[in-house]
Amino acid sequence: MSVAFVPSTCSYCGTGCGVLYQTDGTKILAALPNPVSPVNRGKLCIKGWSLHQHVHAPGRLTVPLLRVESELVPAEWDEALSLAAQGIKETVDRYGPDSVMLLASARITNEENYLAQKFMRAVIGSNNVDHCARLCHSASVSGLAATLGSGAMTNSLDDLENSARCVFVIGSNTSECHPLVAARMMRAKARGARILVADPRPTQMAGMADMAVQPKPGTDVTFLNAVAGVIVREGLYEPAVENSTEDFPAFKNHVAAVTPEEASERTGIPAKDIARFARLYAGNSPAAICYAMGITQYTNGTERVQACSNLALLAGNIGVPGGGVNPLRGQNNVQGACDMGCLPDVLPGYRPVGEASAREAAARVWGRPVPEKPGLLLTRLPEAILQGKIRVLYVIGENPLLSDPDVGHLREAFARLQLLVVQDIFLTDTAKLAHVVLPAAAAPEKDGTFTNTERRCLRLNKAVPPPGKALNDAEILCRLAGRLGYSRRYDSAEAIFDEMRKLTPSYAGMTYARLGIRGLQWPCPTEGHPGTPVLHMGGCARGKGKFMVLDDFTPAESPDEEYPFILSTGRNFAHYHTATMSGVSETLAREGGEAYVEMHPEDAAAIHAEDGRLLRLTTRRGSITVSLRIREGMKKGTVFIPFHYRESPANLLTQNSVDPLCGIPEYKHCAVRVEHA
């Protein structure tokens, strides 16, 4: 048997670890760490080591499926594409292009995401394209774009490890969700950097930190304002901010009035700890702030991100090695999907759809006019369907019936669609409702690129062919576009990439040859440019950094007598998103176990529940049954559930209230009742 090792990029979290697929040409035998990858340097987490297991798992989609009455039955590509195209065309002809929406994917390549948004804009004629970034880091884009001019991680992973004198982790369970990033933080600590953690849950990072605090859920803005207030009153801030930023006087006066004592009452953190935390952060520059969805997934997610930006600006930690504001992206290509323009208000490279020059540039390349009106946000989709505004939905590589909030309401809406087309590698909960199911290739079965959390564009290389008659997503999009009267074929993923970079200034200097194994970090505007490890050096992208005056926050739903606990949702170390891939991995399914709820020992005692007891959790939207894990260190009155488990879907419970600025849902805070099942 001839064995080869094919270099590629992991398709789980947003870290972007380099892997080597050991393959015999038809099957992947193992996934190994790439020792020369600049991201993971020859190391992998449990997901990375198990990366190959889902590729050949039973249940892969191998042929198109069509709904015949209540059943999905096998079909040929010609029949499936014809039916999909006919349904789309008839709907557009009768109701207009804005009656169609496409959900792109953080799990497909940059090239495929570029074609997905091009399909909606050039073929359909609508900006109704969005993807799961709306649910996880849209607040990062809206928040940091307003304060700094760019909504991405400002610094790099190398920089975090080698230059930071302090790493402040807030709202991120880094060691479980980004293990290789956490390893870099620990190496920074080993060379003397301080690790600070703020999180309502007792994470592993908190246990290894120099200082850790547990704010009450939803009170992070109050906590960050209080930290900034200590820095201002004690004169610990960077003097240059008085002239190099906007709105500093108003911000300074606002936070100076926020005392640790007042903040303590709201956050539950002792006043002396708030003051000590502030001194540690301000006294150990350069300091990096790293956050994840514990910051963003609130109805004030944008403001919470801006509170992080305020603190970094205040201490002079923007545009310097070892500093910055660093959102840790949750999925393998969520950064790239945003960069490619899979958002309803921007084209590739974040050029606004309302900007005439951006539309004209795209129209010259695509040969079709580009619509001006911004499209629909993903979190507005259920109501748009129920109101008859959206009649056709095309879902690529997403599983909204497990991942989106209040999925009971979403299921009701999906039942009203005239046509649901789902393109995926497994028959997900969403695909089971589809009228047309299109079988797609998994990441190891195609060429392309992903862009990781540090803005590094990385190659992936085809290791094995897709199963049966499955096709890569780019080929499916091109075939469907052809049936709708737009014929543009590409002979390779590289050809798509080269078209994309014509419209994406931050990628303009990248080529497949230049990417190699190491990749390049955007912005990379010319082919002689080395890439950009640290943003905003020499000045913010928007000119001057902008301070935001931010007030206390009240969540959309708070505990009461009927629903006395706060529910928060998130991830665990073994599973990924809706477990479409990790759930069929022998190793990860075993390690992930069954659905569970974490609860403080005193709360468990109050309802007379012992560890392992089956409990029923109920909110105003639904009810699920899970087993109890009593956990020391949990905040009293708060429970936590991972959202991966389809047998006990946490998002039956969550609410669909959203941030008015970016549309992100409040996954981290709703009221719940807990009782014996």
Side-chain angles (χ1 to χ4, degrees):
M1 180 178 65
S2 177
V3 173
F5 293 89
V6 180
S8 197
T9 302
C10 183
S11 54
Y12 275 121
C13 82
T15 306
C17 293
V19 298
L20 294 172
Y21 290 120
Q22 183 181 1
T23 174
D24 62 6
T26 60
K27 185 175 181 179
I28 299 175
L29 307 175
L32 307 171
N34 189 335
V36 298
S37 165
V39 176
N40 54 310
R41 299 174 182 171
K43 300 176 178 63
L44 287 175
C45 73
I46 186 173
K47 292 190 187 77
W49 283 107
S50 307
L51 181 61
H52 61 295
Q53 293 180 0
H54 74 275
V55 178
H56 307 294
R60 281 292 303 274
L61 291 171
T62 59
V63 296
L65 302 174
L66 299 181
R67 184 162 299 282
V68 177
E69 296 180 351
S70 61
E71 300 293 327
L72 286 169
V73 299
E76 296 299 324
W77 273 107
D78 185 69
E79 185 182 7
L81 291 173
S82 294
L83 184 62
Q86 179 184 352
I88 292 171
K89 185 178 186 304
E90 289 177 353
T91 302
V92 171
D93 288 346
R94 183 172 181 181
Y95 300 102
D98 286 337
S99 62
V100 179
M101 186 167 187
L102 184 148
L103 301 186
S105 177
R107 288 185 283 287
I108 62 176
T109 66
N110 286 324
E111 294 78 2
E112 292 163 338
N113 275 304
Y114 170 78
L115 289 186
Q117 61 83 35
K118 179 183 175 181
F119 177 90
M120 274 306 299
R121 290 172 167 132
V123 182
I124 304 300
S126 171
N127 285 311
N128 283 345
V129 58
D130 209 347
H131 74 291
C132 66
R134 183 68 49 203
L135 310 176
C136 60
H137 273 291
S138 57
S140 294
V141 176
S142 59
L144 295 180
T147 61
L148 305 178
S150 173
M153 185 170 171
T154 61
N155 290 54
S156 66
L157 298 179
D158 275 348
D159 187 63
L160 184 70
E161 177 181 344
N162 298 319
S163 301
R165 291 187 60 227
C166 175
V167 179
F168 172 16
V169 181
I170 181 167
S172 167
N173 186 4
T174 319
S175 59
E176 289 202 40
C177 300
H178 299 88
L180 273 297
V181 177
R184 286 176 175 264
M185 294 175 178
M186 289 300 101
R187 289 196 287 273
K189 179 176 171 63
R191 63 164 173 78
R194 298 296 190 105
I195 304 294
L196 308 179
V197 173
D199 200 296
R201 295 181 66 216
T203 64
Q204 186 182 47
M205 288 299 299
M208 297 186 289
D210 293 277
M211 183 176 185
V213 295
Q214 285 183 281
K216 293 177 183 176
T219 64
D220 296 280
V221 170
T222 303
F223 168 64
L224 292 168
N225 277 346
V227 168
V230 173
I231 293 171
V232 163
R233 287 191 300 274
E234 297 186 5
L236 302 176
Y237 62 89
E238 169 56 51
V241 301
E242 297 189 10
N243 299 312
S244 63
T245 61
E246 295 177 10
D247 298 330
F248 177 66
F251 170 77
K252 180 181 178 181
N253 291 336
H254 181 68
V255 299
V258 182
T259 67
E261 290 74 20
E262 291 172 347
S264 178
E265 292 182 13
R266 182 164 175 80
T267 65
I269 302 170
K272 62 182 178 57
D273 288 348
I274 294 174
R276 179 173 174 244
F277 204 100
R279 294 169 192 138
L280 283 171
Y281 175 77
N284 289 279
S285 290
I289 297 175
C290 296
Y291 70 86
M293 286 166 278
I295 284 291
T296 59
Q297 287 180 334
Y298 281 87
T299 50
N300 72 332
T302 299
E303 292 187 348
R304 295 160 71 85
V305 170
Q306 291 170 343
C308 294
S309 178
N310 283 343
L311 196 59
L313 284 168
L314 184 65
N317 284 321
I318 295 296
V320 296
V325 184
N326 302 291
L328 301 177
R329 296 289 192 149
Q331 298 189 47
N332 56 293
N333 201 33
V334 69
Q335 181 65 60
C338 293
D339 298 345
M340 295 302 105
C342 290
L343 298 167
D345 57 343
V346 295
L347 296 167
Y350 303 97
R351 302 184 71 183
V353 296
E355 183 181 288
S357 60
R359 296 196 310 276
E360 290 164 3
R364 284 193 296 272
V365 174
W366 297 345
R368 290 279 183 91
V370 177
E372 179 179 359
K373 185 181 76 172
L376 185 72
L377 301 185
L378 167 58
T379 42
R380 304 298 185 195
L381 176 61
E383 294 310 314
I385 296 172
L386 292 172
Q387 293 166 7
K389 295 177 181 178
I390 297 295
R391 295 173 179 270
V392 172
L393 180 63
Y394 183 5
V395 180
I396 303 175
E398 296 285 345
N399 190 15
L401 283 178
L402 276 185
S403 63
D404 288 23
D406 192 5
V407 293
H409 183 56
L410 185 64
R411 182 176 288 271
E412 176 191 350
F414 274 25
R416 300 275 294 274
L417 286 165
Q418 292 181 6
L419 176 64
L420 174 59
V421 180
V422 175
Q423 190 167 303
D424 215 314
I425 62 175
F426 289 100
L427 193 66
T428 63
D429 286 66
T430 305
K432 289 175 182 177
L433 289 186
H435 302 96
V436 180
V437 178
L438 305 176
E445 298 161 352
K446 56 191 174 187
D447 297 318
T449 57
F450 293 150
T451 302
N452 78 344
T453 191
E454 59 174 349
R455 300 170 283 106
R456 188 184 297 272
C457 184
L458 295 155
R459 288 288 312 277
L460 59 154
N461 297 289
K462 184 176 180 178
V464 291
K469 296 181 180 180
L471 299 172
N472 67 63
D473 295 280
E475 177 65 20
I476 299 171
L477 282 160
C478 286
R479 290 191 185 189
L480 185 56
R483 289 173 183 265
L484 290 167
Y486 186 90
S487 296
R488 173 69 168 95
R489 303 303 293 270
Y490 303 86
D491 59 10
S492 65
E494 185 175 10
I496 305 169
F497 188 89
D498 286 341
E499 180 181 302
M500 174 274 294
R501 65 191 186 101
K502 293 176 184 177
L503 296 174
T504 313
S506 55
Y507 284 70
M510 299 183 189
T511 66
Y512 269 28
R514 289 197 70 203
L515 292 178
I517 292 290
R518 298 187 59 82
L520 288 164
Q521 290 174 272
W522 66 254
C524 181
T526 66
E527 292 190 20
H529 194 281
T532 308
V534 181
L535 296 180
H536 312 301
M537 295 187 76
C540 289
R542 69 179 302 275
K544 290 184 175 183
K546 182 177 177 63
F547 282 99
M548 296 291 188
V549 174
L550 307 170
D551 294 316
D552 287 345
F553 161 74
T554 301
E557 186 175 276
S558 296
D560 56 22
E561 187 174 341
E562 186 176 3
Y563 302 98
F565 291 94
I566 296 171
L567 168 66
S568 181
T569 65
R571 304 182 179 192
N572 64 25
F573 78 99
H575 277 308
Y576 172 70
H577 206 52
T578 64
T580 302
M581 301 189 309
S582 60
V584 297
S585 161
E586 180 183 353
T587 300
L588 299 178
R590 180 179 65 246
E591 293 295 325
E594 298 180 346
Y596 58 89
V597 58
E598 293 180 351
M599 196 175 202
H600 188 279
E602 292 183 23
D603 288 334
I607 63 169
H608 309 289
E610 66 278 7
D611 206 53
R613 161 77 68 172
L614 210 58
L615 298 178
R616 179 179 295 108
L617 276 69
T618 304
T619 69
R620 291 175 174 87
R621 291 152 296 279
S623 180
I624 64 173
T625 302
V626 293
S627 63
L628 171 64
R629 289 188 185 179
I630 296 175
R631 187 168 182 188
E632 297 284 349
M634 284 288 291
K635 286 198 76 69
K636 290 178 63 176
T638 299
V639 297
F640 169 82
I641 307 176
F643 72 92
H644 313 291
Y645 300 92
R646 65 179 307 274
E647 67 275 14
S648 298
N651 283 317
L652 268 177
L653 308 179
T654 52
Q655 51 156 327
N656 57 14
S657 300
V658 300
D659 181 319
L661 297 175
C662 69
I664 198 167
E666 195 158 83
Y667 285 111
K668 301 302 185 197
H669 200 290
C670 72
V672 65
R673 181 171 66 248
V674 183
E675 56 198 344
H676 289 213

